[in-house]
Amino acid sequence: MEEATTPLFQQVAELVADAIVDGSLPEGERAPSTNELAAFHAINPATARKGLSLLVDAGVLQKQRGIGMFVTEGAREKVIAQRKEAFAGRYLVPLVDEAAKLDMTASELRELLGSVAESRGLYD
């Protein structure tokens, strides 16, 4: 787990969602259990359970009584859609605010963003 201001249960949910997005936890597969997550990350099982519950509430995981939690069909697309919706507020607003503090123009910011994107292999 990372040292951050984000609550641990949200970090748990993000880690599991990351695994769904990158394909290491595909649709139909059993998600790590509360106890597995708690032991691996050395956290309280209630914290892990709360993180998994966020994903159940979002329709990304479903409980199968006595068996565990499984990745739902369409879960990857749901997670991506949710993250795209939150993207501007989470990343772009702070970026633009910092650029404004540095007296950067919009064209300077676009040029910098394009340069960084290209260096990371993202092209038009």
Side-chain angles (χ1 to χ4, degrees), residues 44-61:
N44 187 307
T47 301
R49 185 177 310 108
K50 192 171 179 181
L52 291 175
S53 292
L54 288 177
L55 297 175
V56 170
D57 293 345
V60 174
L61 296 179

Side-chain angles (χ1 to χ4, degrees), residues 16-62:
V16 175
D18 285 346
I20 292 168
V21 170
D22 73 20
S24 60
L25 186 56
E27 295 177 2
E29 289 290 313
R30 187 179 74 77
S33 72
T34 297
N35 291 333
E36 290 168 340
L37 288 167
F40 185 80
H41 295 291
I43 59 174
N44 187 307
T47 301
R49 185 177 310 108
K50 192 171 179 181
L52 291 175
S53 292
L54 288 177
L55 297 175
V56 170
D57 293 345
V60 174
L61 296 179
Q62 66 182 29

Side-chain angles (χ1 to χ4, degrees), residues 43-118:
I43 59 174
N44 187 307
T47 301
R49 185 177 310 108
K50 192 171 179 181
L52 291 175
S53 292
L54 288 177
L55 297 175
V56 170
D57 293 345
V60 174
L61 296 179
Q62 66 182 29
K63 296 178 185 179
Q64 292 188 6
R65 191 177 198 114
I67 301 174
M69 293 193 196
F70 291 80
V71 180
T72 61
E73 190 165 324
R76 182 174 187 275
E77 290 76 19
K78 283 181 187 176
V79 172
I80 289 171
Q82 291 166 351
R83 287 183 174 186
K84 282 183 178 180
E85 187 175 310
F87 185 79
R90 188 170 183 184
Y91 299 104
L92 296 183
V93 169
L95 174 80
V96 171
D97 288 348
E98 184 65 18
K101 289 177 192 172
L102 300 173
D103 293 325
M104 292 178 73
T105 65
S107 63
E108 288 173 323
L109 182 57
R110 280 191 295 273
E111 184 178 325
L112 179 61
L113 182 57
S115 176
V116 171
E118 188 174 318

